[in-house]
């Protein structure tokens, strides 16, 4: 009985997809850092037009560059997992990295549009609600930086070891209790 390898990417494709993955991730990290600086600076802006411009710029960055970078990171990461010997469920670090990344995107998608819209709409009427939203946006930007550092750490150090073969089936099918 021979053991099948399953799907594997050819070396040139693997390297090309890995390069796209790294560039998208690094781009996302750079954008998260820039947005963090923008959000911290916005805390000290009292001029309504300038404050609105800052949040409109944040909105523009998220819609045109951050979302494509984040989605490219997830998509290429999944392709790399399935197309290399690491696999998606052979080791603990790939699903951990995926969970960290997808959770960060989900938290952002759920909260960011409303917070940014609120900040734009209330830039001319500063008050406790605006300050709270501004602080939340700073926290969200920090979350992106932390999540991307954790994802990079997981990729580099590959902690936690291998998933036992019996556990792989349960992770892959979502059956955690048998």
């Amino acid at each position: 009985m021979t053991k099948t390898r399953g799907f594997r990417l050819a070396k040139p494709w693997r390297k090309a997809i890995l390069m796209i993955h790294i560039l998208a991730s690094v781009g996302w990290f750079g954008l998260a850092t820039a947005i963090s600086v923008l959000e911290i600076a916005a805390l000290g802006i009292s001029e309504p037009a300038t404050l609105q411009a800052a949040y409109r710029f944040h909105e523009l960055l998220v819609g045109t560059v951050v979302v494509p970078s984040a989605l490219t990171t997830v998509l290429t990461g999944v392709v790399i997992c399935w197309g290399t010997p690491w696999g998606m469920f052979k080791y603990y670090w790939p699903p951990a990295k995926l969970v960290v990344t997808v959770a960060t995107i989900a938290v952002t998608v759920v909260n960011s549009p409303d917070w940014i819209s609120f900040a734009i709409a209330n830039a001319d009427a500063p008050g406790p609600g605006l300050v709270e939203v501004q602080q939340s946006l700073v926290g969200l930007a920090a979350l992106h930086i932390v999540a991307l550092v954790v994802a990079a750490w997981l990729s580099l150090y590959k902690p936690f070891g291998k998933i036992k073969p019996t556990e792989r089936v349960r992770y892959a099918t979502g059956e955690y209790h048998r």
Side-chain angles (χ1 to χ4, degrees):
M1 184 159 151
T2 60
K3 201 174 192 180
T4 59
R5 261 181 16 133
F7 170 75
R8 293 289 184 259
L9 289 168
K11 191 174 183 177
W13 283 105
R14 181 181 52 80
K15 286 188 173 197
I17 293 170
L18 181 60
M19 185 171 121
I20 293 167
H21 180 73
I22 291 169
L23 289 172
S25 301
V26 169
W28 184 11
F29 183 80
L31 289 161
T33 304
I35 288 171
S36 293
V37 171
L38 179 66
E39 291 300 333
I40 291 167
L43 290 171
I45 296 173
S46 58
E47 167 60 33
T50 307
L51 192 57
Q52 282 182 336
Y55 289 114
R56 288 189 195 284
F57 183 58
H58 181 168
E59 187 175 48
L60 178 68
L61 286 175
V62 169
T64 60
V65 192
V66 174
V67 170
S69 294
L71 295 177
T72 300
T73 299
V74 171
L75 179 64
T76 55
V78 169
V79 170
I80 290 165
C81 282
W82 288 114
T84 64
W86 290 110
M88 182 61 80
F89 298 105
K90 287 183 181 179
Y91 297 85
Y92 284 102
W93 69 269
K97 185 176 173 184
L98 183 62
V99 166
V100 166
T101 306
V102 170
T104 301
I105 293 168
V107 167
T108 302
V109 166
V110 167
N111 296 303
S112 183
D114 291 340
W115 290 345
I116 293 171
S117 294
F118 182 88
I120 290 169
N122 292 285
D124 57 350
L130 179 60
V131 172
E132 184 179 310
V133 165
Q134 288 178 300
Q135 291 170 346
S136 297
L137 285 166
V138 170
L140 189 59
L143 170 68
H144 279 255
I145 292 171
V146 170
L148 289 164
V149 168
V150 168
W153 178 81
L154 288 166
S155 292
L156 185 62
Y157 290 99
K158 298 172 179 40
F160 316 124
K162 276 189 151 185
I163 298 174
K164 295 175 186 165
T166 56
E167 294 295 314
R168 281 187 217 150
V169 172
R170 290 157 82 185
Y171 278 109
T173 60
E175 297 176 31
Y176 299 106
H177 307 288
R178 267 197 174 167

